Amino acid sequence: MLFVELLVPRGVFDEQERRNLAGRLTARRLLSAANGETMAADPGVIDLFDSLSHVVVREEEVWNGGGRLLDPSQGPWYVVNVIVGMWGKEMSEHLISRITAELAEAEGNPEPRAVVHVISLHEGGYGLHGRAQRSADVLQLIERAKTGPAASVADDMIVDPVCGATVPLQDAVILERGGKTYGFCCTHCRGHFVKQLSDAAAS
């Protein structure tokens, strides 16, 4: 459920290099842990996100940065626009870090010249199968996709019961209910879980 648009100056990368960059910016890699390979979420949810995500790499013929035309011989510059649905605020820090790390590794430069924009959509601003999807609709898709954690979870981590994300306990959105502690990756998942509990209690 990501749309990643990578803009690069024309002539800096050949076609194979652009394909390699696109491969580094897939949902599967970006939603993984810091190394780009260890899943930080439920494998089924990662599969869902990967199946609904797109990466495009565009070469820009004219590039003006900082008030001057950029020379391709000066090496790569990157602008990355990532549309993340309704969870931009919750995902921005992770995505900016992961995208920058992927570009750094690809370039062999620990500080690539990259600007990353994480763009949220308003509620209902994401369409799938011909209809607008609200966060509750997307969370239902996520719940159906869950298969269980890929590996055992360390004591300082917690698995979000809604989306299956593995979250550091210190960063989790916490809910205490019935003597049990639940941890969530974001307020959207917490709210969805509370609504499910309320609906279950009412029926």
Side-chain angles (χ1 to χ4, degrees), residues 59-136:
E59 285 189 298
E60 299 300 323
E61 189 170 328
V62 178
W63 192 296
N64 187 314
R68 61 187 168 80
L69 288 174
L70 301 179
D71 180 353
S73 67
Q74 295 173 330
W77 288 79
Y78 312 93
V79 172
V80 186
N81 299 314
V82 188
I83 299 174
V84 297
M86 284 81 53
W87 295 287
K89 180 179 176 185
E90 294 83 0
M91 294 178 71
S92 63
E93 190 171 324
H94 176 80
L95 286 171
I96 291 167
S97 171
R98 290 290 306 118
I99 289 167
T100 303
E102 288 293 343
L103 295 174
E105 188 176 315
E107 187 182 323
N109 175 2
E111 295 186 15
R113 294 180 289 188
V115 176
V116 180
H117 303 117
V118 177
I119 304 162
S120 293
L121 298 175
H122 60 83
E123 186 71 21
Y126 177 74
L128 188 61
H129 307 301
R131 71 186 263 289
Q133 301 290 301
R134 305 212 174 299
S135 54

Side-chain angles (χ1 to χ4, degrees), residues 2 7 9 15 32 35 37 39 44 46-47 51 75 81 94 100-101 104 108 125-126 133 162 169 184 186 192 198:
L2 302 177
L7 307 175
E15 182 179 350
S32 68
N35 65 6
E37 295 174 8
M39 290 195 191
I46 294 292
D47 288 344
S51 73
N81 299 314
H94 176 80
T100 303
Y126 177 74
Q133 301 290 301
V162 174
L169 193 52
F184 303 88
C186 67
H192 184 73
S198 299

Side-chain angles (χ1 to χ4, degrees), residues 6-54:
L6 172 62
L7 307 175
V8 296
R10 186 176 301 280
V12 174
F13 298 105
D14 64 28
E15 182 179 350
Q16 188 56 51
E17 290 169 324
R18 293 191 305 274
R19 287 178 182 273
N20 291 342
L21 286 169
R24 288 181 164 277
L25 300 180
T26 63
R28 182 170 306 281
R29 285 188 69 86
L30 295 180
L31 298 176
S32 68
N35 65 6
E37 295 174 8
T38 305
M39 290 195 191
D42 182 288
V45 174
I46 294 292
D47 288 344
L48 172 69
F49 268 76
D50 214 32
S51 73
L52 297 173
S53 295
H54 302 274

